């Protein structure tokens, strides 16, 4: 579990630092660590989701130069909630994955905004939501769905060959 | 088990809230320093991996681009070579035909131009096939010339083509004289592919290597004054009646492509209509 956790956090970090800028469309980049945390929390449960979310968020906080602990907290909670609810959710359909990830990203954005507001952050809510959170949420939704489909295809291929 | 899960979540939340509180109360620098001690090596590693990944990717892209460009340039180069060859060939043909046309226009003779369509280059016979035959008013013994000099005579006429016996054919004989001294003799073909000039010693004593020989016009088969060859060496037979000189043919028979077939007669000396160096 530890190895997978380290790989997840570092892999998400590397992907976020390398692939995300290249995937940018009109200034909107996906939140790759968030997608990774959600997908792994669904498979590995709340503990893994919480730890992975905390570590990945902490790295993002450190890299971003803002208040340290905000993304660590929101992603840890998100990883935990998704991990706990994973067994009760049917997430194999893209019709569920896309809106699911959109809602989760928006929820994470709202939680982050609320936290920052508690600690005297003064950004306008509507603009932040409209220009940053929502576009990123849509992007995350489609990218996450693609990733789920790709993973499912790889797994079916492996099952067929073994 | 459930308690452990919530404990982990509580711990994560508590650490985050502590970090946030410390930062807002002015201990941000210390908290950031403490975190940086942990995250900086990780970020350094990530940045290095990023650099390595991008560098490898860029190298691959460069290689791919260079490879594609290389293929394109090779293709372009090949096409240009072919085009160059075609241009050169057309240029050569144009030059040859211009020379032939110029000769045809300046000669006081009726001639028909023809193209060499085949070569019989065995040791026994040396012959060319011209694409002019019976329908073009060609008859047996018609003289065949090129801008460089005498090629030979027609020995066989067919409906659309004629066979030309070239001067180097072992059965070929042409009356000729040295342009400088007017010493007469007979030029014969040799199986080795050269020409031999047979002359009487008392008349040709002044023959020198490099002398140009032209057709004498005797017998009426060949017009007078057409270059036949140049003396390459002299075979002095001492007191014998006949001496011999080996000639370099004026025409390169293996490379001649276009010729003129002399269909009219002329008594005029034509030496002045050909290049003076033979």
């Amino acid at each position: 579990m530890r190895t997978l956790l380290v790989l997840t956090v570092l892999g998400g970090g590397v992907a976020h630092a390398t692939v995300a800028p290249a995937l940018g469309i009109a200034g909107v980049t996906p939140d790759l660590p968030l997608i990774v945390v959600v997908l792994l929390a669904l498979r590995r449960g709340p503990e893994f989701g919480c730890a992975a979310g905390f570590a990945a968020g902490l790295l993002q906080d450190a890299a971003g130069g803002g208040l340290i602990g905000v993304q660590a907290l929101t992603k840890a909670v998100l990883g935990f909630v998704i991990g706990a609810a994973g067994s009760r959710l049917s997430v194999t359909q893209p019709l569920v994955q896309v809106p699911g990830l959109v809602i989760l990203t928006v929820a994470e954005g709202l939680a982050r905004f609320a936290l920052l507001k508690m600690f005297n952050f003064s950004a306008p809510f509507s603009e932040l939501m409209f220009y940053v959170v929502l576009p990123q949420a849509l992007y995350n939704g489609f990218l996450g769905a693609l990733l789920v489909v790709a993973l499912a295809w790889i797994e079916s291929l492996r099952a067929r060959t073994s | 088990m459930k308690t452990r899960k919530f404990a982990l979540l509580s711990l994560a939340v508590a650490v985050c809230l502590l970090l946030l509180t410390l930062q807002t109360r002015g201990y941000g620098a210390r908290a950031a320093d403490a975190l940086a001690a942990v995250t900086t090596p990780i970020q350094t590693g990530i940045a290095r991996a990023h650099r390595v990944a991008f560098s490898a990717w860029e190298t691959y892209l460069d290689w791919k681009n260079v490879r594609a460009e290389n293929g394109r340039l090779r293709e372009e180069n090949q096409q240009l070579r072919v085009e160059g060859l075609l241009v050169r060939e057309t240029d050569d043909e144009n030059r040859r035909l211009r020379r032939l046309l110029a000769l045809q226009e300046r000669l006081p003779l009726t001639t028909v131009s023809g193209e060499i369509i085949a070569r019989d280059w065995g040791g026994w016979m040396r012959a060319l096939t011209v694409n002019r035959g019976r329908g073009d008013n060609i008859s047996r013994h018609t003289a065949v010339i090129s801008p460089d000099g005498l090629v030979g005579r027609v020995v066989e006429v067919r409906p659309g083509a004629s066979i030309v016996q070239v001067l180097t054919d072992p059965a070929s004989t042409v009356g000729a004289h040295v342009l400088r001294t007017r010493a007469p003799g007979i030029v014969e073909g040799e199986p080795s592919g050269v020409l031999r000039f047979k002359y009487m010693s008392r008349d040709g004593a002044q023959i020198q290597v490099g002398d140009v020989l032209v057709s004498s016009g005797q017998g009426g088969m060949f017009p007078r004054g057409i270059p036949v060859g140049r003396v390459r060496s002299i075979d002095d037979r001492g007191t014998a009646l006949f001496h011999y000189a080996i000639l370099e043919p004026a025409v390169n028979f293996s490379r001649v492509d276009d010729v003129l077939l002399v269909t009219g007669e002329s008594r005029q000396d034509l030496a002045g209509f050909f290049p003076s160096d033979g």
Side-chain angles (χ1 to χ4, degrees):
Chain A
M1 179 170 163
R2 275 180 196 168
T3 314
L4 187 64
L5 184 67
V6 170
L7 280 175
T8 303
V9 173
L10 288 181
V14 170
H16 195 67
T18 56
V19 184
L23 292 175
I25 299 171
V28 181
T29 53
D31 191 345
L32 290 177
L34 178 89
I35 297 170
V36 172
V37 165
V38 168
L39 293 181
L40 284 166
L42 281 170
R43 286 164 174 254
R44 309 285 301 193
E47 277 176 278
F48 187 92
C50 180
F54 176 76
L58 205 60
L59 264 182
Q60 278 184 284
D61 283 333
L67 276 177
I68 293 161
V70 176
Q71 289 193 79
L73 179 55
T74 55
K75 284 195 169 67
V77 173
L78 192 78
F80 184 86
V81 172
I82 292 298
S87 54
R88 274 164 261 158
L89 293 171
S90 173
V91 288
T92 52
Q93 296 299 316
L95 279 175
V96 177
Q97 291 151 12
V98 176
L101 266 166
V102 171
I103 291 165
L104 285 175
T105 310
V106 173
E108 199 260 353
L110 285 172
R112 205 194 300 183
F113 181 80
L115 252 181
L116 287 169
K117 206 75 187 162
M118 277 171 62
F119 291 97
N120 303 319
F121 180 67
S122 59
F125 176 76
S126 56
E127 281 179 26
L128 200 70
M129 282 293 137
F130 192 74
Y131 291 110
V132 181
V133 179
L134 276 176
Q136 193 180 51
L138 286 170
Y139 202 164
N140 278 355
F142 283 104
L143 201 66
L146 276 177
L147 212 61
V148 170
V149 171
L151 285 171
W153 182 73
I154 291 167
E155 274 178 5
S156 70
L157 209 69
R158 272 175 60 190
R160 227 179 292 159
T161 50
S162 62
Chain B
M1 188 72 181
K2 230 174 189 181
T3 322
R4 202 183 134 190
K5 283 182 199 170
F6 282 104
L8 183 68
L9 176 66
S10 308
L11 182 67
V13 171
V15 169
C16 290
L17 287 175
L18 181 68
L19 279 169
L20 289 166
T21 312
L22 282 172
Q23 285 171 90
T24 47
R25 293 210 176 158
Y27 302 103
R30 279 185 201 171
D33 287 351
L35 187 68
V38 180
T39 58
T40 304
I42 299 170
Q43 283 175 318
T44 308
I46 289 173
R48 203 165 288 165
H50 174 208
R51 264 199 304 278
V52 168
F54 259 72
S55 163
W57 179 247
E58 277 173 9
T59 307
Y60 168 72
L61 282 182
D62 284 349
W63 173 79
K64 210 175 157 188
N65 287 340
V66 165
R67 201 178 156 184
E69 197 177 349
N70 189 24
R72 192 176 52 75
L73 288 174
R74 269 173 196 268
E75 210 171 295
E76 200 177 302
N77 186 27
Q78 212 163 349
Q79 205 174 330
L80 286 172
R81 275 188 191 189
V82 171
E83 279 174 19
L85 282 174
L86 285 175
V87 167
R88 206 182 304 162
E89 203 177 324
T90 311
D91 191 44
D92 280 353
E93 192 182 7
N94 191 20
R95 198 155 30 82
R96 277 198 325 267
L97 291 174
R98 274 177 188 277
R99 280 187 74 203
L100 198 72
L101 185 66
L103 178 70
Q104 192 173 27
E105 281 176 353
R106 69 175 181 257
L107 280 178
L109 281 172
T110 313
T111 55
V112 175
S113 62
E115 191 184 338
I116 305 298
I117 53 173
R119 294 165 207 270
D120 186 359
W121 226 241
W124 298 97
M125 274 189 70
R126 290 176 191 273
L128 305 170
T129 306
V130 189
N131 66 343
R132 297 288 182 187
R134 213 165 284 148
D136 302 297
N137 199 26
I138 307 297
S139 60
R140 208 157 175 264
H141 301 308
T142 295
V144 181
I145 61 175
S146 82
D148 293 321
L150 192 60
V151 175
R153 83 190 82 185
V154 172
V155 290
E156 197 178 325
V157 185
R158 293 171 183 167
S162 300
I163 308 297
V164 179
Q165 180 191 57
V166 299
L167 298 184
T168 49
D169 186 284
S172 163
T173 53
V174 180
H177 64 250
V178 180
L179 187 63
R180 186 173 57 81
T181 63
R182 300 273 162 181
I186 294 170
V187 173
E188 299 169 333
E190 286 277 297
S192 60
V194 293
L195 299 173
R196 193 170 68 154
F197 181 53
K198 186 179 173 185
Y199 59 96
M200 290 176 76
S201 62
R202 62 179 172 84
D203 293 325
Q206 301 97 0
I207 288 184
Q208 293 169 2
V209 170
D211 272 343
V212 173
L213 275 86
V214 295
S215 57
S216 60
Q218 305 228 333
M221 192 183 295
F222 296 109
R224 185 183 170 84
I226 301 174
V228 171
R230 184 187 288 272
V231 176
R232 191 202 287 174
S233 60
I234 295 161
D235 181 10
D236 194 340
R237 299 281 173 102
T239 55
L241 182 61
F242 288 103
H243 283 205
Y244 298 92
I246 301 298
L247 308 183
E248 186 73 46
V251 178
N252 185 346
F253 302 112
S254 61
R255 300 192 70 172
V256 66
D257 288 317
D258 304 284
V259 292
L260 292 178
L261 295 102
V262 182
T263 52
E265 281 188 23
S266 171
R267 298 275 173 206
Q268 197 180 335
D269 190 329
L270 303 176
F273 296 96
F274 287 88
S276 58
D277 60 349

